[in-house]
Structure formats: structure tokens, C-alpha cells
Amino acid sequence: MKQGVFELALAGVCGVAAVIGLATSQTRQPYDLTQIQFCPRSINDVEGQIALDKRFCNQPRFVLTEEWQRYGLYGSIIPYKGDAIQWVRDLPTDNPNQLLGYGVAVTGLWGIVGCLVVRGQRLKRTDYELGELEKTGDYATWQHNKHKREVKQHSTQLYTERLKDGLSGLDTEERKALGLTDEENERAKARIQLEDFMKARAVNHSVMDKTIAENLRDKAKADQERGKIEGKTKGAIANDNHPLTDQRLISDLIEALKNHEDGWLWKVIDNQKPVWVLGEAGSGKSTLAASIVMLREYLFDMPLYQLLDAHAGENLRNAWKYLSPQLIAKTEEEIGQAFDDARERWLDRINNQSDKRPQQLLVDEFTNYSESDITKEPAKKFVKASLSDPRKAEERLVCIAHFFTNTATGGSDGTAKGRSRGTIQIDRKTADGKTPLKVAIINGLNNSEGDAEIDKKVTIPSWLTPESIHKHLNGQPVDFDD
């Protein structure tokens, strides 16, 4: 406020100076004049002289200076007047203060302009700063409330879904009570809905894969045309298209997974079903399980939350060498408690954690858990819960066992159909109990029509090992065509 008052006051002073300078620079008359006074002498007393002075002497009279000087102060033409006519002053036409007045006027006008320009710039800068401060405050408020809005929106959506599920369940119960449906019919409906969902998901993925392939094709054509113009060889063009970067290494790995035998490896990695790796000792179960966990961690940023393995001490030096679990359960007491904790964690992540980060759980030596009094019940409950909860809890499950019987999978009686349909089983083979074979049998992986494939023969590529994956993602690319 003080600065604004000073600016306006200074502008006012400059304005007054301009007016004064302009007035001072003006000429008073067009000709040189001489001011005279006519003071005749009275022959009477003093009062008579005063009367004459009042009548004549006090009245200003002007004559041309040229005339005054030409006739010798009028003495020659009015001799009888004597010294009655007296000179008072000369009034020249030239104004000695004219240039100074002009200079003061121009300076005053420029002073007004300068004050107004400074004031305008200051007000503009102040308005800009206030606007930026307001925008910053509004953005901070928007950011502060964004999380609340997202939480509220997700909470509302979750509540709607839970209400929908509850109402759907009540409707199903009422229809069952009225005899309009039964368990078998509901299971058939659920199976059809799941198949429709998987088909739609497969269609979306195929559309995205097609778009990516078309983009890569167009880019390759453009690079070839550019290479022809520049005179480059195909090898040089390939090196230009694929610089050795982390993104390139990851892209090459994804392409190799998708291109291997109709992409069954990529489907396993990208699938939310629990994966069971089966086989005899020496068939390469741990190698395959570790590779799946590593691929998910590197490609999907999905860390290994916990490792359950009674032989973890030895396996951490060999099979699990490249894994980094946050928690490890080794003893039977720790493994039994880990099974119970996993079920509680799944429920908590489903009900209370709307913004949860996907993670993994690896369980080894499942075959022995149904025979221990400590792990028997926890393992049984864990396997039953694993058929439904991990997907909603955003936790991927990889289990290792020798066989896929009820006993070898934690003694989970009554879950055979659910396990065969709701999980992916990869059965590895060995001829001598030492060297894994490339041939394997896979079950439970849905095809493009949503049907679970049974006893499908696949091959495990030689590069699918933790060592090869680690080297590839650390600057030593794997030749996937070898």
C-alpha cells in the first residue's frame, strides 16, 4: 500500500511540475514594451499631489520600446511635461525561462509515464504471484483430496460389489428354497461365467498383442527403408533398433515367453491360478518354480513375500539362490504358523486393503506336510482357502509336491475337482532321477475358448533356469533361438 501511495504521489508531483513548466515557457506579449508612469506635479498642497497620484501615477501605462527610445523619453515632443513621464521597466518579448520551462514540462510528463509504467509492472507482477499462489494452493488441495476421493470411490465400488454378491446369494438361496435351482445348476452357471470371462480376457489380450505386432512390423519396415537410404546393413539396423537396455532385455524375454509353443509359458506367468509344480526327485521342480517366481518378480514387480521350505538352508544356496524372500519359514512350527498367517493375510488384504501391491508365496515339500501333527490341519485349511482367496488378495501362489493326490497336497480331502480345475499343474519328468527332461505335462491351463486343457504335452526350454534369467536381466542376453 505504501509503495502504491508513493507512486501516485510522485506521479502527481511530476504532473504539477509539467503544468508549471508549460506555463512558465509561455511568452507574455508579442512586442517589446516599456512600462511608464505619468506623475504630474501639483501646484497645490500635499493633498492635491496625492489626488493627482491617485488619478494618474498609480495607473500602469505601456508604450512600444522602440517608440520610447526613438523620441528620447518623450522629452522632445512633450517638453512642457518635464519629468512627469517616468520609466518603470522594460518588458521584452523573449522569455528567458522558456527552454527551462519546456524541459521541466517534458521531464514531468516522462515522470508521469515512468511512474505509471512502474506501477503497472508491479501490479502485473503482484497479480501473477497471487495467481500462481492461488493455483499452487488449489493444486495442493486437489492432491490432498485426491487420495480421499479414490479411497471413497473404491470403498463405494467394493461396497456395491459386496452388496451385489450378498443380494445374489440371497436370491440364489430363495430360488433354491422354491425349487427353481440347485447346486449343480449354480455350479454350471458359475462355470459358464468363468469361461465367458476368460474368453473376453483372451480376446482383449489377443487384440493388444495384435496391435503390438502391427506396430513392431511398421517400425521394422520404416527402419529398413531408412537403412536403405543410409546404406546400412540389416545387422546394423537391428543393432540400432535394439540397444542393450533393461527395457529391451525385458521385451526380448517377454517375446520369448509368448513365442514358445503357442505362449503357454507366458500364460502360466500371467495367470492368477495357483501353480503346482509336480515331479519326482531330480525332475527340476525347484528350478521351474524358482524361474516362475523370478519372472513374475522382474516382469510384474511382484516380490516374493514368504518362502515355506523345510530345506530352505540348503536350497537358498542352490535352487533359491536368486530369490529374495522377505520372510522364511523352516521348522514345522514356523510352517504351520505360516499356513494360518497366510489365510488371515488373504482375508485382511481382501477386506481391508483396497490399494494392495501384488506379491508371491512359494511353498516347497508339500508332500510331507499332511503327515505331521503340527502342519496337517493348517496345510489342509491352507489348500482349501488357496482355491479362492489368493486371486482376490492379489497374491500369487507356487507350490511344489511330488504328486497331486490329496495326501501329497496337504491332505485336503474333498478338493480334488477344485484343485484340478482351479489350479495349474506342471508335471516334470526325469529318466534317471538326476537330469530333468525337457518334456512335461500341463493341466488346468485354459485355452482360447476357456476350456481347461488336460494332459497337454509341452517342453521346457533350456534357457528357463534361474541362472539364465539372472544373467539375461543383468546385461548378458540369452540367445532364445539357440
XYZ file of all heavy atoms in Angstrom, residues 136-149:
123
model
N -1.207 -22.843 -6.912
C -0.457 -23.803 -6.104
C -1.293 -24.313 -4.940
O -1.316 -25.511 -4.635
C 0.829 -23.146 -5.571
O 1.603 -22.672 -6.666
C 1.643 -24.144 -4.766
N -2.006 -23.382 -4.298
C -2.869 -23.798 -3.185
C -3.992 -24.701 -3.648
O -4.313 -25.708 -2.999
N -4.596 -24.360 -4.799
C -5.671 -25.206 -5.325
C -5.147 -26.581 -5.700
O -5.817 -27.607 -5.461
C -6.309 -24.536 -6.548
C -7.054 -23.263 -6.184
O -7.363 -23.090 -4.977
O -7.315 -22.442 -7.082
N -3.932 -26.629 -6.309
C -3.368 -27.929 -6.685
C -3.055 -28.765 -5.448
O -3.301 -29.976 -5.423
C -2.096 -27.718 -7.500
C -1.430 -29.008 -7.923
C -1.953 -29.784 -8.952
C -0.276 -29.465 -7.283
C -1.346 -30.959 -9.343
C 0.336 -30.644 -7.657
C -0.203 -31.384 -8.692
O 0.389 -32.549 -9.059
N -2.515 -28.110 -4.404
C -2.225 -28.838 -3.165
C -3.515 -29.377 -2.545
O -3.561 -30.516 -2.065
C -1.492 -27.917 -2.179
N -4.561 -28.572 -2.576
C -5.851 -29.040 -2.044
C -6.383 -30.200 -2.867
O -6.909 -31.183 -2.321
C -6.856 -27.877 -2.056
O -6.327 -26.782 -1.294
C -8.184 -28.316 -1.443
N -6.241 -30.097 -4.210
C -6.715 -31.184 -5.071
C -5.941 -32.467 -4.808
O -6.528 -33.545 -4.738
C -6.552 -30.757 -6.526
C -7.005 -31.796 -7.507
C -8.266 -32.069 -7.922
C -6.159 -32.733 -8.199
N -8.273 -33.099 -8.807
C -7.007 -33.523 -9.010
C -4.784 -32.965 -8.206
C -6.508 -34.525 -9.818
C -4.294 -33.973 -9.018
C -5.144 -34.732 -9.814
N -4.610 -32.344 -4.666
C -3.799 -33.517 -4.368
C -4.160 -34.103 -3.002
O -4.192 -35.332 -2.832
C -2.314 -33.133 -4.380
C -1.739 -32.927 -5.761
C -1.578 -34.227 -6.517
O -2.477 -34.641 -7.258
N -0.476 -34.894 -6.340
N -4.431 -33.237 -2.042
C -4.763 -33.708 -0.700
C -6.076 -34.487 -0.698
O -6.213 -35.488 0.020
C -4.856 -32.517 0.251
C -5.254 -32.901 1.659
N -4.416 -33.595 2.506
C -6.413 -32.702 2.345
C -5.036 -33.802 3.665
N -6.243 -33.272 3.585
N -7.017 -34.018 -1.512
C -8.331 -34.670 -1.531
C -8.406 -35.796 -2.543
O -9.388 -36.552 -2.546
C -9.418 -33.639 -1.850
C -9.551 -32.589 -0.760
O -9.324 -32.886 0.420
N -9.905 -31.375 -1.123
N -7.371 -35.912 -3.423
C -7.413 -36.957 -4.439
C -7.441 -38.338 -3.806
O -8.223 -39.208 -4.200
C -6.204 -36.812 -5.361
C -6.133 -37.882 -6.449
C -4.887 -37.695 -7.295
C -4.784 -38.808 -8.358
N -3.533 -38.653 -9.160
N -6.554 -38.550 -2.821
C -6.497 -39.861 -2.167
C -7.835 -40.185 -1.490
O -8.322 -41.324 -1.575
C -5.363 -39.878 -1.145
C -5.242 -41.177 -0.399
N -4.827 -42.347 -1.004
C -5.509 -41.493 0.900
C -4.829 -43.326 -0.114
N -5.233 -42.832 1.037
N -8.422 -39.175 -0.845
C -9.707 -39.395 -0.192
C -10.775 -39.774 -1.218
O -11.581 -40.669 -0.972
C -10.132 -38.142 0.567
C -9.218 -37.779 1.739
C -9.737 -36.548 2.452
C -8.832 -36.192 3.632
N -9.315 -34.972 4.323
N -10.764 -39.093 -2.358
C -11.750 -39.412 -3.388
C -11.549 -40.826 -3.915
O -12.528 -41.563 -4.111
C -11.635 -38.411 -4.536
C -12.073 -37.001 -4.179
C -12.282 -36.168 -5.432
N -11.082 -36.092 -6.226
C -10.163 -35.158 -6.094
N -10.315 -34.212 -5.186
N -9.088 -35.127 -6.859
